[in-house]
């Protein structure tokens, strides 16, 4: 991607020019000038930065990654930044992992002025840094309001996001929600154990989350299980999670539903 036009095409991805121009609030002439003229003016560059989460340094010089990622070197800086943001406005939080390396995606409806016009867009920020107990506590109030979701990204997708390879269009469906299935993060699942914290405390939280997810799946399906069958499912999943070294953020309703199905098949 040696030229500015090639890099701009990368941000465009599979969108038709007319659709992309409309989403940016640009006239046909303004949009065509992005590709045919010299480098865009400051207003157009800032528009791409906001609406697409584009890394302007990469767009102009090919230095860095295509999309902007906020990297936090310390747990204190990370948790402080997130706490301040969540106190300022009700961001939708997507918790991609809560471990030694934590990635959060924050989204919020926003507007930007562009050459006398108001452009509606979905503000998106990607934050990566060390997980900590302070970060978990900063997220807890939002989780209690149902504003923290856990997206079911693959490990490869998480790596692409953290490395700045996916922008707003690549991540969002219709500019509103992430392009992947998500489940609501339970407040009790927002737990990052300190290195010297006893393992049994982390295990207790894992069991609580498993039980809560099981009850959630049963309520959604209207199915009733005996206490014995519930215990059998929890025991199986607890053992499986230990073997796979899973954390609470790896637990999903789909995993619970699979366990229920397997139990029914075994009981036949």
């Amino acid at each position: 991607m040696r030229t500015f036009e090639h890099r701009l095409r990368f941000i465009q991805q599979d969108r038709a020019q007319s659709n992309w121009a409309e989403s940016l609030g640009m006239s046909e002439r303004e949009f065509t000038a992005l590709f045919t003229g010299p480098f865009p003016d400051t207003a157009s560059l800032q528009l791409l930065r906001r609406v697409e989460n584009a890394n302007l340094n990469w767009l102009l010089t090919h230095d860095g990654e295509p999309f902007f990622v906020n990297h936090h070197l310390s747990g204190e800086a990370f948790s402080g930044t997130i706490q301040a943001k969540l106190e300022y406005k009700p961001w939708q939080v997507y918790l991609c992992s809560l471990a030694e390396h934590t990635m959060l995606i924050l989204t919020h409806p926003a507007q930007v002025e562009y050459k006398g016009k108001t452009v509606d867009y979905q503000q998106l920020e990607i934050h990566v840094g060390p997980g900590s107990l302070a970060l978990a506590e900063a997220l807890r109030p939002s989780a209690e309001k149902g504003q923290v979701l856990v997206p079911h990204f693959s490990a490869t997708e998480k790596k692409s996001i953290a490395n700045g390879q996916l922008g707003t269009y690549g991540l969002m469906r219709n500019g509103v929600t992430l392009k992947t299935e998500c489940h609501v993060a339970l407040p009790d699942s927002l737990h990052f154990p300190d290195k010297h914290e006893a393992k049994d405390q982390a295990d207790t939280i894992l069991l609580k989350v498993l039980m809560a997810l099981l009850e959630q799946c049963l309520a959604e399906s209207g199915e009733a299980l005996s206490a014995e069958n519930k215990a059998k499912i929890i025991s199986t999943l607890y053992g499986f999670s230990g073997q796979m070294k899973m954390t609470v953020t790896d637990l999903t309703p789909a995993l619970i539903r699979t366990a229920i199905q397997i139990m029914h098949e075994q009981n036949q």
Side-chain angles (χ1 to χ4, degrees), residues 118-187:
T118 300
V119 179
D120 295 309
Y121 72 104
Q122 194 74 10
Q123 186 176 356
L124 180 144
E125 295 185 3
I126 300 169
H127 294 264
V128 178
S132 66
L133 182 59
L135 179 61
E137 290 303 316
L139 293 173
R140 195 175 303 281
S142 295
E144 291 171 348
K145 300 174 186 176
Q147 294 172 346
V148 179
L149 300 178
V150 180
H152 302 175
F153 286 126
S154 67
T156 300
E157 288 171 326
K158 289 180 182 179
K159 185 176 180 180
S160 294
I161 297 168
N163 289 338
Q165 298 300 311
L166 284 172
T168 304
Y169 175 71
L171 287 169
M172 306 296 292
R173 178 186 293 113
N174 299 323
V176 179
T177 59
L178 286 192
K179 294 179 177 178
T180 188
E181 184 182 354
C182 301
H183 70 268
V184 177
L186 302 172

Side-chain angles (χ1 to χ4, degrees), residues 11 15 19-26 43-56 67 108 110-114 118-125 166-172 175:
I11 293 176
R15 286 174 285 185
N19 293 339
W20 193 24
E22 183 179 358
S23 69
L24 292 172
M26 289 185 173
S44 297
L45 287 173
Q46 288 300 323
L47 184 67
L48 291 170
R49 168 70 184 90
R50 288 173 176 263
V51 178
E52 302 293 341
N53 194 36
N55 180 354
L56 296 185
F67 300 102
H108 191 276
Q111 293 182 326
V112 60
E113 295 297 320
Y114 174 69
T118 300
V119 179
D120 295 309
Y121 72 104
Q122 194 74 10
Q123 186 176 356
L124 180 144
E125 295 185 3
L166 284 172
T168 304
Y169 175 71
L171 287 169
M172 306 296 292

Side-chain angles (χ1 to χ4, degrees), residues 41 63 91 113 115 142 147 164 174 180 194 232-234 248 257 259:
D41 54 52
D63 185 25
W91 291 88
E113 295 297 320
K115 297 183 178 181
S142 295
Q147 294 172 346
N174 299 323
T180 188
D194 293 332
K232 185 185 296 184
I233 291 173
I234 293 298
V248 290
R257 289 191 290 268

Side-chain angles (χ1 to χ4, degrees), residues 4 6 38 45 48 73 92 95 116 124-125 127 129 138 143 151 154 176 186 197-198 204 210 217 242 257 266:
F4 175 82
H6 286 138
L45 287 173
L48 291 170
L73 298 180
Q92 176 65 65
L95 173 59
L124 180 144
E125 295 185 3
H127 294 264
S154 67
V176 179
L186 302 172
E197 189 174 8
T204 299
L210 281 171
C217 288
R257 289 191 290 268
Q266 291 176 342

Side-chain angles (χ1 to χ4, degrees), residues 4-265:
F4 175 82
E5 181 180 350
H6 286 138
R7 294 190 289 275
L8 197 59
R9 295 288 185 193
F10 179 84
I11 293 176
Q12 179 184 357
Q13 296 189 28
D14 60 354
R15 286 174 285 185
Q17 290 199 177
S18 58
N19 293 339
W20 193 24
E22 183 179 358
S23 69
L24 292 172
M26 289 185 173
S27 66
E28 183 177 347
R29 180 181 58 81
E30 290 170 332
F31 186 80
T32 302
L34 288 177
F35 293 91
T36 59
F39 283 154
D41 54 52
T42 301
S44 297
L45 287 173
Q46 288 300 323
L47 184 67
L48 291 170
R49 168 70 184 90
R50 288 173 176 263
V51 178
E52 302 293 341
N53 194 36
N55 180 354
L56 296 185
N57 192 39
W58 175 86
L59 186 60
L60 294 173
T61 68
H62 201 205
D63 185 25
E65 303 299 339
F67 300 102
F68 193 77
V69 177
N70 298 275
H71 289 280
H72 304 274
L73 298 180
S74 72
E76 182 179 3
F78 194 5
S79 60
T81 297
I82 297 304
Q83 182 176 0
K85 284 184 171 294
L86 296 181
E87 289 177 351
Y88 177 67
K89 66 172 66 170
W91 291 88
Q92 176 65 65
V93 181
Y94 295 93
L95 173 59
C96 300
S97 60
L98 186 57
E100 192 167 344
H101 297 289
T102 300
M103 180 169 66
L104 302 176
I105 300 174
L106 307 183
T107 66
H108 191 276
Q111 293 182 326
V112 60
E113 295 297 320
Y114 174 69
K115 297 183 178 181
K117 295 170 286 188
T118 300
V119 179
D120 295 309
Y121 72 104
Q122 194 74 10
Q123 186 176 356
L124 180 144
E125 295 185 3
I126 300 169
H127 294 264
V128 178
S132 66
L133 182 59
L135 179 61
E137 290 303 316
L139 293 173
R140 195 175 303 281
S142 295
E144 291 171 348
K145 300 174 186 176
Q147 294 172 346
V148 179
L149 300 178
V150 180
H152 302 175
F153 286 126
S154 67
T156 300
E157 288 171 326
K158 289 180 182 179
K159 185 176 180 180
S160 294
I161 297 168
N163 289 338
Q165 298 300 311
L166 284 172
T168 304
Y169 175 71
L171 287 169
M172 306 296 292
R173 178 186 293 113
N174 299 323
V176 179
T177 59
L178 286 192
K179 294 179 177 178
T180 188
E181 184 182 354
C182 301
H183 70 268
V184 177
L186 302 172
D188 283 346
S189 71
L190 301 176
H191 177 80
F192 182 85
D194 293 332
K195 290 182 179 180
H196 303 293
E197 189 174 8
K199 182 178 182 298
D200 59 351
Q201 185 174 352
D203 289 346
T204 299
I205 292 172
L206 190 71
L207 284 169
K208 284 183 178 180
V209 173
L210 281 171
M211 290 187 286
L213 283 174
L214 176 58
E215 294 299 335
Q216 176 186 325
C217 288
L218 293 176
E220 292 174 352
S221 66
E223 184 176 358
L225 291 180
S226 66
E228 181 182 355
N229 282 334
K230 288 181 181 179
K232 185 185 296 184
I233 291 173
I234 293 298
S235 177
T236 299
L237 287 174
Y238 178 72
F240 175 75
S241 64
Q243 292 174 1
M244 301 302 293
K245 298 182 179 179
M246 299 170 72
T247 67
V248 290
T249 54
D250 297 317
L251 304 178
T252 67
L255 184 66
I256 304 294
R257 289 191 290 268
T258 299
I260 294 173
Q261 182 180 353
I262 291 173
M263 183 206 65
H264 286 317
E265 292 173 353

